Amino acid sequence: MASILDEYEDSLHRSVSVQQGRASVAIPHSGYVNARLEKETPIFNKQRIDFTPPEKINSLVVSSNQLCMSLGKDTLLRIDLGKPDEPNQVELGRKDEAKVYKMFLDHTGSHLLIALNTSECLYLNRNVQKVRALSRWKGHLIESVGWNKFLGSESNTGPILVGTSQGQIYEAEISVSEGSLFSTNPDQYFRQVYTLEEESGPAPVCCLEIERGIEGKFFIIATTRKRLFQFVGKVPEGTEQQGFSSIFAVHADHLPSFREFPANLGFSEIAFYTPKLRSNPRSFAWMMGNGVLYGTLDYSRPDSILSDERVWVYPPDIDITVNKPISIVLTQFHFLLLLPDRVKAVCTLNGQVVFQDLFLEKFGVLTRMIKDPTVQQIWIHTEKVVFRYHVQRESRDVWKMYMNMNKFDLAKEYCKDRPECLDIVLAKEAEHCFQNKRYLDSAKCYALTQNYFEEIALKFIEAKQEEALMEFLIKKLSNLKPSEKTQTTLLTTWLTELYLNWLGVLQGDPSQRNLYLDTREKFRTFLSSPKNKDCLFNNRASIYELLASHGDTEHMVYFAVIMQDYERVVAHHCQHDEYDEALNVLSRHRDEKLFYKFSPVLIQHIPKKVVDAWISMGSRLDARNLIPALVNYSQSASTQQINEAIRYMEFCVYQLEETQQAIHNYLLSLYALCRPDSLLSYLEQAGTNPNRIHYDLKYALRLCAEHGHHRACVHIYKVMELYEEAVDLALQVDVDLAKSCADLPEDDEELRKKLWLKIARHVVQEEKDVKKAMACLSSCSLLKIEDVLPFFPDFVTIDHFKEAICNSLEDYNKHIEELKREMEEATQSAKRIREDIQEMRNKYGSVEPQEKCAACDFPLLNRPFYLFLCGHMFHYDCLLQAVFPNLPAYKQAKLEDLQKKLAATSQPSKSHHRPKDADTISLGKGQQSREQIKADIDDIVAAECVYCGELMIRSIDKPFIDPQKYEEEMQSWL
């Protein structure tokens, strides 16, 4: 396998000279075709609003889809952009020469402030038609308003900040009364909280913004022409309604932190980008004399939320002395500058102008540009035309800029839904990491690209970066599809080879111990990965060869366990005399076949543990398959070790209740060999019923005879019902044992007598014990003294069995008397029977002429009839019809046969000259007479009354209607 991998690496080197268009060897290349099927719309898509104002437009504000514009001197037009066909016109009601200076609309579109050039301010609520003057605001030219986005509502602005042209910052609150249209003073209060100054003194407050950070901290941003101030402080919880005075009070004695730039436009403007509705702004852009200060907002900072600041100078064609910018709007990746005749969009990532839109002179000079933060639409107006920009897919090319800036994570984030662009970014990142010698990171990125596999692999090989090559192969392997089996096999095998090489290098260096352990863990993770399982299993032979070629037995065992090749694992442990480990593997995985295979080896070394493991397996193991291991073991082991075999066999017999004959036979052989005491108890426990005995009786008999266990042989003879053999063998052991055997054939008195005679002969002739012989007579009632006398020798005197003879004579006398008594009782019984017969012959009954048949209810005397003792009377044919169906089949056949014979005897003889004694001759040859046939018929038909006898009792569960005729009977009732 190693040679195959070497050849593959050589092929990678040779592939350098192959042109780019050739087919890939291992991992197919599937590049992306970057083609745009239709013209892509611009990011900023301009639309002219179909609206011709009756008077010139002085000012325009938009928020939350609510548009307000000032027309001419005294007209205010409000349009709900959700209902553009329903404009609302409001008259300011001013008779003087006052003009609208600026308008300010809050984030909800509910509160409109109208600053006049006469240092007055008007207020208009979205839900009313009448404009109200704010008396407390009089005398101040309003330059900016900082709306409260946290406490404001449709009827109340909450505490807000107001900036004037004289540099003062006022705190105010406007509220609409619920009782009437307006309260007496809609402006609740108007108090100064701070004054902004530049080096020359107070300066106009160009912009105000209020933001809330974490932990109740507020950030207030205020700008002048050249400076950007930050006020930071906490408003105590529950006192937000009291305003921001406490924040400004902290800076009463010293200036807050600010940024200052030398150039001056005469004004400044700050714009914010808010990604989602009701969320905090994420970035800002401050348009001032030196350019645009751009940065992000970090609310976690303690003193300043401005972060990552940079100044983008104005493009070269903007001269602040001639055509200075008028307004600025910030989007996610661009800020738009409004010039008198054009709009420029500058990318915030690189400061490059990416969009420019020139307006025709006929539209007039561009006046103002604003953005609706809720719908992300940009509005531009002149004195007579209104334009709207839609921002579409602004981030489409951002990935390129981030990629060129080496900000690859951001680049990937913005092209994750465009695979062709993502591939370019990954390739660039991989090359960047490779050039900076960050080979592992480069490998991870290369694995995700569609670059040619061979080129990348060769690149790492030439750089001698095996670890990075392994990382690349791992990542590439994880990205392969299940159908790419060939590529998966190649990568899996190659990775195994690389891991083994790397582990071999690290293992020999003690200083790299930690790296070795880490690499080993990665290799094991690779081998045990579920995704690689099928591939490794299908190619396990090759993996085993690789592991064997490196001599890595540790991982060979580990891999075998993963592949569930436990046979190889157990074999390995056995080869290295690790028998306990081998048994642990068997016990853990409980594979019956492995137990059968390795038990002969293990039991030779750890018999007790092996038997314990067998017992723990219980009925899952077939003990018959373990007998060869036990036989082989018992032949070479001592008696103490054989006890382990007996212990397992006893478990099978008594706990598992095994009935296999081989198991019982083997246990018998072990008992006969080492435990004769247990042998007899086992046989007795097995019982004497041959049908319930699980061992082989003949084998057991031969085994016991070979080892001289006579009592066990006697027991087996008894089970086999070989009582004569049992008695013969028992007489060699114990006479009492023989006596117990002699009484077993209870149903065969002749055999019992024969067995007892054997015992008596043994006692008389072998033991020569007359008293014991007489005791045999008393133990068996079948033996008589005359049966035993022939066994005694001639010189024995009668005194030894005088008593036995007398007892025998007495028994004979008693038997004679009993026979006499039985004869007398038999004589009396015969006499009584003869008398009963004579009485029955003389018994009669009377039948009245009007009597009727109990079955058919017709007169009885018309036909042959039967009269029963119970009083019931039946015609012969009626009784026969009632009795016949209930007779057994054999009686029905006999009755039919008798009727045929009776009919035959009724026919006249064909020969008129037949001798008179012909009938007598035929009867003498076995023929029945007519009277005998009638008597036999009567015995069958008239054995009992059909209404009073057993026939009626047996028919109690018989249905009244024959089931076969039930349907017919039921239909007849309908």
Side-chain angles (χ1 to χ4, degrees), residues 574 577 579-580 583 597-611 614 626-638 641-642 644-645 666:
C574 290
D577 296 337
Y579 302 110
D580 288 333
L583 184 59
K597 182 172 183 177
F598 292 99
S599 289
V601 177
L602 296 176
I603 199 169
Q604 298 290 338
H605 301 88
I606 47 174
K608 184 177 186 306
K609 293 181 179 179
V610 171
V611 171
W614 290 350
L626 297 173
I627 289 178
L630 291 172
V631 170
N632 185 39
Y633 168 67
S634 61
Q635 289 177 351
S636 59
S638 64
Q641 292 172 321
I642 293 177
E644 295 299 329
Y666 183 60

Side-chain angles (χ1 to χ4, degrees), residues 220-275:
I220 299 173
I221 298 176
T223 66
T224 62
R225 293 165 296 188
K226 298 167 58 177
R227 291 183 176 180
L228 186 152
F229 295 87
Q230 290 186 78
F231 299 88
V232 183
K234 286 187 177 182
V235 176
E237 187 176 354
T239 63
E240 293 86 350
Q241 197 67 39
Q242 298 178 8
F244 307 101
S245 302
S246 60
I247 298 177
F248 290 98
V250 176
H251 304 282
D253 299 330
H254 61 278
L255 287 174
S257 62
F258 65 89
R259 297 292 306 275
E260 184 175 12
F261 293 89
N264 185 2
L265 290 174
F267 67 95
S268 71
E269 184 173 344
I270 191 168
F272 296 90
Y273 168 69
T274 304

Side-chain angles (χ1 to χ4, degrees), residues 494-590:
W494 194 1
L495 275 169
T496 304
E497 174 72 16
L498 291 174
Y499 267 121
L500 291 173
N501 288 336
W502 187 237
L503 286 171
V505 172
L506 295 176
Q507 191 174 17
D509 189 353
S511 63
Q512 300 289 335
R513 178 63 180 173
N514 292 334
L515 181 57
Y516 167 76
L517 295 176
D518 184 57
T519 306
R520 185 182 69 175
E521 188 61 29
K522 289 182 180 178
F523 181 44
R524 292 185 174 185
T525 302
F526 166 75
L527 292 176
S528 59
S529 172
K531 187 172 183 180
N532 303 332
K533 184 176 181 180
D534 291 340
C535 179
L536 290 170
F537 182 80
N538 295 331
N539 298 278
R540 59 189 183 278
S542 300
I543 303 298
Y544 281 132
E545 290 180 9
L546 281 175
L547 293 167
S549 65
H550 285 266
D552 194 343
T553 57
E554 179 184 0
H555 284 104
M556 182 182 291
V557 173
Y558 182 82
F559 180 69
V561 171
I562 293 173
M563 293 294 103
Q564 297 183 356
D565 189 359
Y566 302 118
E567 182 176 351
R568 186 182 293 268
V569 177
V570 176
H572 169 80
H573 288 311
C574 290
Q575 290 170 1
H576 292 80
D577 296 337
E578 299 170 352
Y579 302 110
D580 288 333
E581 291 296 326
L583 184 59
N584 289 338
V585 174
L586 290 177
S587 301
R588 187 163 54 250
H589 299 289
R590 305 174 74 83

Side-chain angles (χ1 to χ4, degrees), residues 192-466:
Q192 184 177 350
V193 293
Y194 202 79
T195 300
L196 297 182
E197 295 183 355
E198 295 181 352
E199 69 277 0
S200 59
V205 183
C206 299
C207 299
L208 281 170
E209 181 74 17
I210 305 171
E211 295 298 337
R212 183 168 62 185
I214 60 177
E215 298 179 354
K217 186 180 292 186
F218 280 85
F219 298 88
I220 299 173
I221 298 176
T223 66
T224 62
R225 293 165 296 188
K226 298 167 58 177
R227 291 183 176 180
L228 186 152
F229 295 87
Q230 290 186 78
F231 299 88
V232 183
K234 286 187 177 182
V235 176
E237 187 176 354
T239 63
E240 293 86 350
Q241 197 67 39
Q242 298 178 8
F244 307 101
S245 302
S246 60
I247 298 177
F248 290 98
V250 176
H251 304 282
D253 299 330
H254 61 278
L255 287 174
S257 62
F258 65 89
R259 297 292 306 275
E260 184 175 12
F261 293 89
N264 185 2
L265 290 174
F267 67 95
S268 71
E269 184 173 344
I270 191 168
F272 296 90
Y273 168 69
T274 304
K276 296 180 181 179
L277 187 64
R278 296 185 181 87
S279 63
N280 290 331
R282 297 295 175 85
S283 57
F284 73 97
W286 180 38
M287 184 182 70
M288 41 78 183
N290 290 82
V292 176
L293 176 65
Y294 173 79
T296 59
L297 300 178
D298 186 355
Y299 296 92
S300 63
R301 300 180 65 182
D303 300 324
S304 173
I305 61 172
L306 306 183
S307 178
D308 299 330
E309 302 172 50
R310 68 180 70 178
V311 177
W312 295 116
V313 297
Y314 294 119
D317 59 343
I318 296 180
D319 185 357
I320 62 174
T321 60
V322 179
N323 60 340
K324 58 185 177 183
I326 302 168
S327 293
I328 186 171
V329 162
L330 181 63
T331 62
Q332 186 176 6
F333 297 106
H334 303 86
F335 58 82
L336 281 72
L337 296 173
L338 180 69
L339 301 172
D341 62 343
R342 70 192 65 191
V343 172
K344 286 181 178 291
V346 180
C347 180
T348 58
L349 300 177
N350 55 17
Q352 300 297 317
V353 177
V354 297
F355 172 79
Q356 179 172 278
D357 194 4
L358 186 64
F359 287 77
L360 301 177
E361 291 183 3
K362 67 177 183 178
F363 297 138
V365 178
L366 301 178
T367 306
R368 184 99 192 279
M369 176 174 62
I370 56 175
K371 185 181 75 168
D372 187 346
T374 59
V375 293
Q376 304 295 327
Q377 292 179 348
I378 301 170
W379 297 78
I380 298 176
H381 74 91
T382 65
E383 291 184 344
K384 52 186 177 181
V385 183
V386 179
F387 296 93
R388 178 172 59 188
Y389 281 95
H390 293 276
V391 183
Q392 296 179 337
R393 296 181 59 237
E394 184 182 4
S395 62
R396 66 183 71 172
D397 295 323
V398 170
W399 64 273
K400 291 182 182 177
M401 301 174 191
Y402 279 129
M403 181 182 69
N404 294 330
M405 296 165 61
N406 293 334
K407 294 184 177 181
F408 300 108
D409 290 338
L410 291 173
K412 288 183 285 188
E413 180 67 24
Y414 287 102
C415 65
K416 59 185 178 182
D417 55 344
R418 299 170 65 183
E420 72 281 359
C421 302
L422 181 60
D423 188 66
I424 297 173
V425 174
L426 289 169
K428 183 72 178 291
E429 182 182 7
E431 185 63 28
H432 174 77
C433 294
F434 193 91
Q435 296 298 330
N436 288 276
K437 300 186 184 303
R438 293 163 48 202
Y439 297 110
L440 286 176
D441 294 335
S442 176
K444 294 176 183 177
C445 294
Y446 268 132
L448 299 175
T449 67
Q450 299 299 320
N451 291 16
Y452 284 103
F453 171 81
E454 300 90 332
E455 294 177 356
I456 300 170
L458 185 58
K459 197 170 188 177
F460 287 115
I461 292 173
E462 291 177 344
K464 297 182 179 180
Q465 295 294 322
E466 277 199 7

Side-chain angles (χ1 to χ4, degrees), residues 25-28 477 480-493 535 539:
V25 175
I27 308 300
L477 178 63
L480 289 178
K481 300 177 182 178
S483 58
E484 298 173 323
K485 295 182 179 180
T486 304
Q487 294 87 339
T488 302
T489 301
L490 174 62
L491 292 183
T492 302
T493 311
C535 179
N539 298 278

